[in-house]
């Protein structure tokens, strides 16, 4: 799968991902020297895959567009729509979706959630991130980083 992503991405107009998809792009060598983001819990490994880590909901660097967690995918989709067609089209999509976020809490990032909630969530997610270090090591070896 990584070889397919690497081959396809090398000739794509846009190379994009949301959430932990940036890890796959990084493992395929498609983020070397590009600013990128991903889900807050795993994006710290992106520099180990050659990327320049940038916190943000949507990060665009040339033809690479990466987004943070799941809800950032909506922002990401609107950015891509504006690039593929135009801003008016993207605004039309936003209206069709009635996308006017007003979250009931300000806890969508580790900084706004605070240390206690962030630690609880990190502990909750830790088992799912267990294979991450091994996968990053394999990717680094493959990419000769």
């Amino acid at each position: 799968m990584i070889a397919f992503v690497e081959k396809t991405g090398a000739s794509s107009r846009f190379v994009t991902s949301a959430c932990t998809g940036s890890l796959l792009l990084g493992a395929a060598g498609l983020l070397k020297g590009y600013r990128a983001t991903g889900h807050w819990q795993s994006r710290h490994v992106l520099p180990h895959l050659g990327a320049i880590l940038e916190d943000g909901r949507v990060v665009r660097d040339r033809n690479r567009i990466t987004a943070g967690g799941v809800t950032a995918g909506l922002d990401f989709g609107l950015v891509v729509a504006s690039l593929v067609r135009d801003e008016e089209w993207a605004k039309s999509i936003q209206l069709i979706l009635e996308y006017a976020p007003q979250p009931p809490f300000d806890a969508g990032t580790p900084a706004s959630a605070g240390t206690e909630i962030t630690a609880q969530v990190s502990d909750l997610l830790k088992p799912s991130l267990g294979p991450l270090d091994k996968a990053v090591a394999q990717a680094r070896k493959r990419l000769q980083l």
Side-chain angles (χ1 to χ4, degrees), residues 5-24:
V5 171
E6 179 181 26
K7 181 180 177 185
T8 305
S11 61
S12 295
R13 179 176 174 195
F14 296 108
V15 176
T16 68
S17 68
C19 202
T20 56
S22 59
L23 302 178
L24 179 59

Side-chain angles (χ1 to χ4, degrees), residues 63-74:
N63 73 331
R64 304 311 200 250
I65 308 168
T66 54
V70 174
T71 62
L74 291 170

Side-chain angles (χ1 to χ4, degrees), residues 7 41 50-52 71 80 99 102 106 110 112 116 120 133:
K7 181 180 177 185
Q41 186 65 17
I52 301 163
T71 62
V80 172
Y99 179 52
Q102 296 178 341
D106 185 18
S112 62
E116 186 177 325
Q120 290 172 0
D133 290 337

